[in-house]
Amino acid sequence: RTQTVFAKGDPLSTLCFVGEAPGEEEDAQGLPFVGDSGRFLDRQIAAMREYAARIGVEFPASPYVCNVLKCRPPGNKLLKDGSDIAACSPHLWAQLRSLPNLRVIVAVGRVAAQTLLSSEETISKLRGSISPIAVGQLAVLCVPVYHPAYLLRRRNDKALHAEAWADLKRAVEGLR
Ligand code: URA
């Protein structure tokens, strides 16, 4: 990796997105979610902001965004034995504990969802519900969602995209 990729957005935000790992563009810029997935995530966040306004929920100006892994894995491939996740996740938990106003974490994709929920289930099993998790002294809602890269690979799957939007709406409602 060229540099570590820690976070972007406001640490005082009530809402945090946790992805998997920096990719090539993230590694080059030192910021999470700035490539294709990031542009898609930005559109999802814009839609969430509109939905929040419609239902009268306060939505943060700049949600906090980070990843489970802080460094781009070689060839963007995570290790089969999970030792990279094991090595990085204490940093993720410390990072999340440093967010004083955190209320909702959107777990973006399988790796984030499994890490945050201490689960080995697939993302299609984990998504569709909200789970309270402890982040230090805070009780926070964790909302697992499909990864943008997966949604981009299945652009024409209307049912999948409908599920994805239902999950994001659930995350907004969690901020109520
Ligand atoms: N970019 C990130 O920062 N994280 C992902 O999970 C995917 C792309």
Side-chain angles (χ1 to χ4, degrees):
R1 58 118 170 101
T2 312
Q3 56 190 325
T4 54
V5 176
F6 191 65
K8 67 179 181 183
D10 183 1
L12 300 179
S13 172
T14 51
L15 177 63
C16 168
F17 292 79
V18 178
E20 180 175 311
E24 189 176 7
E25 290 190 56
E26 288 78 14
D27 179 59
Q29 291 189 42
L31 291 169
F33 280 103
V34 291
D36 288 341
S37 287
R39 284 183 280 277
F40 190 81
L41 184 66
D42 288 344
R43 297 216 303 274
Q44 290 181 313
I45 292 174
M48 291 170 80
R49 179 172 286 114
E50 277 176 27
Y51 177 65
R54 230 179 315 135
I55 65 169
V57 166
E58 203 170 315
F59 195 84
S62 178
Y64 191 80
V65 179
C66 63
N67 285 303
V68 176
L69 300 197
K70 308 305 180 200
C71 298
R72 182 189 183 199
N76 288 358
K77 292 252 177 308
L78 273 66
L79 297 174
K80 287 215 165 59
D81 66 1
S83 56
D84 43 8
I85 296 171
C88 276
S89 50
H91 299 295
L92 172 67
W93 287 109
Q95 184 173 21
L96 295 174
R97 284 196 303 273
S98 79
L99 308 176
N101 303 321
L102 186 61
R103 294 187 47 211
V104 173
I105 301 176
V106 178
V108 182
R110 176 186 64 85
V111 169
Q114 290 181 339
T115 303
L116 290 165
L117 297 170
S118 306
S119 167
E120 307 215 318
E121 283 293 0
T122 60
I123 187 63
S124 36
K125 285 252 172 70
L126 292 172
R127 65 146 294 274
S129 60
I130 290 195
S131 308
I133 60 170
V135 176
Q137 302 297 316
L138 296 182
V140 172
L141 297 176
C142 179
V143 184
V145 303
Y146 292 121
H147 197 284
Y150 180 66
L151 295 170
L152 284 168
R153 285 197 300 273
R154 288 169 176 71
R155 267 174 211 284
N156 300 321
D157 188 338
K158 288 226 171 76
L160 182 76
H161 281 259
E163 285 182 341
W165 176 231
D167 293 339
L168 295 177
K169 286 203 290 190
R170 214 168 275 128
V172 173
E173 288 153 15
L175 292 171
R176 228 193 259 282

